Every structure is written in C-alpha cells, then in structure tokens.
C-alpha cells in the first residue's frame, strides 16, 4: 500500500513542479508571489482570497521578498492536494447559485448584474479578478453570461 501512496505523491509533485516552472521566469526556482493564486488554481484548487492569503503566508520567507521559493511551496502544495483542500464546487450547486441570482429564469445574467454580485456581495472580487472573470465569462455578442454553458465549460477545463 505504501508504494501506491508514494506513486501518488510523486505524481502530485510532478504536477506541482510543472505548474511552478511555467511561472519561474528566471529559472531560479522562484516565482513572483502574485503568481501563486494562478499556480494553485491551475492545479484544480479554488481557494478564496482569504485561503490564498493564508497559503502564501505559509510558504513565504520570514522576511517577505515578493518571491516564493519552490522548496517551500512544494511540501505545502503537496499537502493541499493530498487533503483535497480548496476543491471546486460541484456543478449542480454552482447551477443552483446562478439560478438564485436569476429569479426570472432567463438562463443568463447581464454583465452589469454579474459585476454587481461579484463586487457588492460576500467576499468582493478585486478589480483585476473582476476583469479576468468578465473576460472568461461574458459573451461579447450578447454582453451576458449564459451560465449553463459557462458551468459546462468550467467543468471540462477542470479535468
């Protein structure tokens, strides 16, 4: 049984290394701290901003340099993946959430509605996060998010 677990750990660490290397622009085993969220999300995790902040605090040097070292990131991220922390929300739950924001059952939200919900409710998105979200979700022809199509696309990308 131990061999299976080690194989899994080795596979996880390989994925982590590959994701990290994409952002290691200087090839010196460090990445800009601002890239950590993208790296973590590329590994199939969906942490909140608060969770991401805690994760960064865990992997940062005692004196923050603005860079994260691979040696500190690897063990923490391996543990995150093993524990299946920050898992994405299941498709049916996501659909119910969008439907709750669309009481008229139109099947879409306008760009303006999406901005309002993402910046005024719950844990608000930053301007940068909002721009990324809009670029990924809004249909340029209708200026709306057809959420059933969007959820389907998200679930395909996650695999």
């Amino acid at each position: 049984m131990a061999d299976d677990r080690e194989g899994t750990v080795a596979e996880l660490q390989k994925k982590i290394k590959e994701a990290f290397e994409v952002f290691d622009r200087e090839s010196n085993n460090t990445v800009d701290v601002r890239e950590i969220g993208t790296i973590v999300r590329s590994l199939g995790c969906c942490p909140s901003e608060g969770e991401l902040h805690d994760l960064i605090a865990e992997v940062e040097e005692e004196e923050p340099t603005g860079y994260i070292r691979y040696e500190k990131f690897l063990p923490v991220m391996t543990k995150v993946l093993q524990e299946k922390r920050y898992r994405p929300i299941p498709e049916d739950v996501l659909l119910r959430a969008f439907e709750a924001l669309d009481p008229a059952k139109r099947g879409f939200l306008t760009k303006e509605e999406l901005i309002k919900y993402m910046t005024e409710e719950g844990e608000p998105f930053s301007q940068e996060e909002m721009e990324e979200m809009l670029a990924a979700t809004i249909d340029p022809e209708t200026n709306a998010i057809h959420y059933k199509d969007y959820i389907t696309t998200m679930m395909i990308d996650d695999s």
Side-chain angles (χ1 to χ4, degrees):
M1 187 66 186
D3 287 343
D4 286 347
R5 193 168 175 282
E6 286 172 19
T8 305
V9 170
E11 287 167 24
L12 290 177
Q13 290 185 339
K14 183 175 183 275
K15 283 183 182 173
I16 294 166
K17 184 167 180 56
E18 287 168 357
F20 194 91
E21 285 174 345
V22 169
F23 295 94
D24 184 2
R25 311 235 190 275
E26 307 288 320
S27 297
N28 63 358
N29 285 330
T30 64
V31 295
D32 188 304
V33 69
R34 293 170 296 189
E35 306 282 15
I36 293 297
T38 306
I39 295 168
V40 170
R41 289 181 188 103
S42 78
L43 291 164
C45 297
C46 300
S48 68
E49 280 307 301
E51 290 168 332
L52 186 59
H53 183 77
D54 292 345
L55 180 72
I56 289 170
E58 204 175 332
V59 297
E60 234 174 356
E61 301 295 325
E62 285 73 30
E63 290 293 317
T65 60
Y67 290 90
I68 301 297
R69 288 188 15 251
Y70 176 71
E71 298 78 40
K72 288 197 85 157
F73 182 72
L74 181 65
V76 173
M77 197 64 215
T78 301
K79 190 174 177 193
V80 164
L81 293 178
Q82 283 178 311
E83 293 174 357
K84 298 184 177 354
R85 271 193 265 165
Y86 319 135
R87 297 310 302 150
I89 296 168
E91 191 170 347
D92 60 322
V93 174
L94 205 51
L95 181 58
R96 285 198 306 271
F98 273 111
E99 287 172 343
L101 300 175
D102 178 24
K105 304 276 183 263
R106 299 169 303 180
F108 68 89
L109 298 173
T110 65
K111 180 178 180 179
E112 293 71 28
E113 289 169 330
L114 190 62
I115 290 171
K116 178 181 184 291
Y117 294 133
M118 297 301 163
T119 58
E120 296 176 14
E121 306 289 329
E123 187 175 333
F125 275 44
S126 68
Q127 182 67 34
E128 186 179 330
E129 289 170 326
M130 196 67 242
E131 287 169 14
E132 281 179 30
M133 170 102 177
L134 292 174
T137 59
I138 296 295
D139 177 343
E141 290 179 24
T142 62
N143 215 25
I145 174 178
H146 299 272
Y147 51 82
K148 285 181 183 171
D149 296 339
Y150 174 65
I151 291 169
T152 302
T153 305
M154 276 179 44
M155 294 303 149
I156 291 168
D157 290 347
D158 186 47
S159 58

